[in-house]
């Protein structure tokens, strides 16, 4: 399968200590994309700016940076979700983790500027529940929303996207770690018009239960109702699965995101 080359833009990959972050980098290398990979911890005080002159807007989002409570996500032993966590009846999530050396990314963690310009943002999954990861990712999501920067949240990244903007998550009856089939309900920016199903890799035990206002579901599975979702107007997307581990269908989705 041939993938369309995108204009030379810079994508920020936020590594939330996911073992699959190297796979995101490999996919971006295949697509000949220009990107910056940063650990979440290096972005604590960084302001994300768009390389384009877009208009900003306001939104009633959850401010985890000001009052995170007992973490956005909680572990299985605790039922105290804190004041700002929208949790749907059950418990909370965890993703996957690790860092990498790759040829096509820049990892500047030593000399950090308080402003970082990029054209797009990808939020990785994560392995462990961590308050700082939640705060940093929620802050980046708000900045992308306000500055009209396209954002793709993967697994945990999708869940924190939903939580930050007013959605909820729930614990699944059984965790899933397998390649599964998705049913496309609405083709869009990330899904070709002729695609009815997708084969993707999932590895999680929590999923988005309720979408935030102005978001819509694009694909579902027997495990999760909102496998792919997006904002109706802004270029904000979430995938419950890992496109970086999903072969041709996942690479095609990433290619389309880079082309937005």
């Amino acid at each position: 399968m041939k993938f369309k080359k995108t204009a030379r833009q810079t994508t920020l990959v936020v590594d939330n200590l996911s073992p699959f972050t190297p796979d995101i980098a490999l996919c971006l290398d295949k697509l000949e994309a220009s990107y910056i990979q940063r650990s979440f911890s290096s972005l604590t005080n960084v302001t994300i700016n768009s390389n384009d002159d877009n208009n900003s807007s306001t939104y009633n989002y959850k401010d985890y940076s000001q009052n995170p409570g007992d973490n956005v996500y909680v572990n299985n032993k605790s039922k105290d979700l804190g004041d700002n966590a929208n949790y749907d009846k059950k418990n909370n999530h965890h993703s996957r983790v690790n860092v990498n050396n790759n040829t096509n990314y820049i990892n500047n963690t030593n000399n950090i500027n308080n402003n970082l310009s990029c054209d797009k943002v990808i939020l990785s999954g994560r392995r462990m529940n961590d308050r700082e990861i939640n705060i940093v990712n929620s802050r980046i999501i708000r900045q992308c929303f306000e500055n009209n920067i396209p954002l793709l949240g993967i697994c945990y990244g999708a869940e924190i996207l939903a939580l930050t903007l007013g959605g909820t998550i729930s614990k699944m009856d059984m965790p899933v770690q397998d390649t599964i089939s998705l049913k496309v309900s609405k083709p869009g920016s990330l899904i070709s018009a002729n695609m009815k199903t997708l084969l993707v890799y999932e590895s999680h035990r929590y999923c988005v239960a309720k979408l935030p206002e102005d978001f819509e579901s694009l694909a579902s599975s027997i495990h999760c109702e909102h496998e792919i979702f997006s904002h109706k107007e802004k270029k904000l997307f979430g995938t419950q699965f890992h496109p970086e581990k999903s072969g041709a269908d996942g690479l095609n989705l990433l290619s389309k995101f880079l082309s937005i």
Side-chain angles (χ1 to χ4, degrees), residues 129-157:
N129 177 41
D130 183 277
R131 177 184 177 188
E132 186 183 357
I133 292 178
N134 298 329
I135 293 172
V136 170
N137 281 265
S138 186
R139 184 168 173 265
I140 290 171
I141 289 164
R142 296 197 308 273
Q143 291 175 0
C144 287
F145 187 98
E146 293 166 354
N147 295 321
N148 289 317
I149 301 173
L151 178 142
L152 173 63
I154 295 174
C155 194
Y156 160 77

Side-chain angles (χ1 to χ4, degrees), residues 226-251:
H226 310 299
E227 290 282 359
I228 306 175
F229 59 90
S230 69
H231 193 274
K232 293 178 181 179
E233 297 179 1
K234 292 182 176 287
K235 298 170 183 178
L236 304 176
F237 306 91
T239 64
Q240 190 64 74
F241 59 93
H242 290 270
E244 73 275 22
K245 300 285 290 183
S246 300
D249 284 347
L251 194 62

Side-chain angles (χ1 to χ4, degrees), residues 19-20 93-96 125-126 155-156 159 172 175-180 200-206 240-242 245:
F20 300 153
H93 171 95
H94 101 200
S95 251
R96 316 281 170 254
R126 73 169 186 185
C155 194
Y156 160 77
E159 292 162 10
M172 302 164 64
V176 57
Q177 191 170 9
D178 199 3
T179 297
I180 67 166
V200 301
Y201 179 76
E202 302 220 341
S203 182
H204 60 98
R205 65 179 63 195
Y206 296 86
Q240 190 64 74
F241 59 93
H242 290 270
K245 300 285 290 183

Side-chain angles (χ1 to χ4, degrees), residues 94-145:
H94 101 200
S95 251
R96 316 281 170 254
V97 190
N98 216 330
V99 206
N100 84 323
N101 291 322
N102 232 305
T103 56
N104 211 14
Y105 80 84
I106 308 166
N107 194 358
N108 297 323
T109 55
N110 296 324
N111 187 16
I112 299 173
N113 193 304
N114 284 334
N115 291 285
L116 191 156
S117 295
C118 62
D119 299 286
K120 295 174 179 66
V121 174
I122 295 176
L123 305 179
S124 81
R126 73 169 186 185
R127 175 188 295 163
M128 298 175 62
N129 177 41
D130 183 277
R131 177 184 177 188
E132 186 183 357
I133 292 178
N134 298 329
I135 293 172
V136 170
N137 281 265
S138 186
R139 184 168 173 265
I140 290 171
I141 289 164
R142 296 197 308 273
Q143 291 175 0
C144 287
F145 187 98

Side-chain angles (χ1 to χ4, degrees):
M1 182 182 297
K2 290 186 177 180
F3 296 96
K4 180 181 177 182
K5 272 193 177 182
T6 59
R8 205 63 176 173
Q9 296 183 326
T10 301
T11 298
L12 169 64
V13 177
V14 180
D15 180 15
N16 295 309
L17 303 182
S18 168
F20 300 153
T21 302
D23 297 287
I24 297 175
L26 286 173
C27 287
L28 297 184
D29 286 337
K30 287 182 181 179
L31 296 170
E32 298 184 21
S34 175
Y35 61 99
I36 303 167
Q37 182 177 311
R38 287 278 189 87
S39 168
F40 77 92
S41 60
S42 73
L43 297 169
T44 302
N45 297 311
V46 173
T47 299
I48 309 298
N49 298 308
S50 174
N51 285 332
D52 298 322
D53 293 326
N54 292 319
N55 295 324
S56 62
S57 59
T58 59
Y59 194 83
N60 184 24
Y61 49 70
K62 301 292 180 179
D63 193 350
Y64 292 119
S65 64
Q66 297 300 320
N67 185 17
D70 187 26
N71 298 341
V72 178
Y73 293 108
V74 299
N75 61 35
N76 293 337
K77 296 179 181 179
S78 172
K79 295 184 179 179
D80 182 6
L81 302 174
D83 295 334
N84 285 319
N86 284 337
Y87 196 65
D88 194 359
K89 297 182 180 178
K90 300 180 183 179
N91 273 1
N92 232 303
H93 171 95
H94 101 200
S95 251
R96 316 281 170 254
V97 190
N98 216 330
V99 206
N100 84 323
N101 291 322
N102 232 305
T103 56
N104 211 14
Y105 80 84
I106 308 166
N107 194 358
N108 297 323
T109 55
N110 296 324
N111 187 16
I112 299 173
N113 193 304
N114 284 334
N115 291 285
L116 191 156
S117 295
C118 62
D119 299 286
K120 295 174 179 66
V121 174
I122 295 176
L123 305 179
S124 81
R126 73 169 186 185
R127 175 188 295 163
M128 298 175 62
N129 177 41
D130 183 277
R131 177 184 177 188
E132 186 183 357
I133 292 178
N134 298 329
I135 293 172
V136 170
N137 281 265
S138 186
R139 184 168 173 265
I140 290 171
I141 289 164
R142 296 197 308 273
Q143 291 175 0
C144 287
F145 187 98
E146 293 166 354
N147 295 321
N148 289 317
I149 301 173
L151 178 142
L152 173 63
I154 295 174
C155 194
Y156 160 77
E159 292 162 10
I160 193 67
L161 170 62
L163 283 170
T164 299
L165 298 182
T168 66
I169 64 172
S170 65
K171 186 178 180 182
M172 302 164 64
D173 293 332
M174 292 287 292
V176 57
Q177 191 170 9
D178 199 3
T179 297
I180 67 166
S181 177
L182 307 187
K183 181 179 179 181
V184 176
S185 56
K186 185 174 182 179
S189 301
L190 300 186
I191 310 170
S192 301
N194 63 334
M195 299 296 290
K196 304 300 181 184
T197 61
L198 300 173
L199 285 177
V200 301
Y201 179 76
E202 302 220 341
S203 182
H204 60 98
R205 65 179 63 195
Y206 296 86
C207 64
V208 174
K210 179 182 176 182
L211 293 176
E213 184 180 358
D214 296 326
F215 276 76
E216 60 184 349
S217 184
L218 306 179
S220 61
S221 73
I222 60 173
H223 302 286
C224 299
E225 182 180 1
H226 310 299
E227 290 282 359
I228 306 175
F229 59 90
S230 69
H231 193 274
K232 293 178 181 179
E233 297 179 1
K234 292 182 176 287
K235 298 170 183 178
L236 304 176
F237 306 91
T239 64
Q240 190 64 74
F241 59 93
H242 290 270
E244 73 275 22
K245 300 285 290 183
S246 300
D249 284 347
L251 194 62
N252 185 57
L253 185 146
L254 289 171
S255 176
K256 286 186 173 298
F257 174 70
L258 295 176
S259 299
I260 290 173

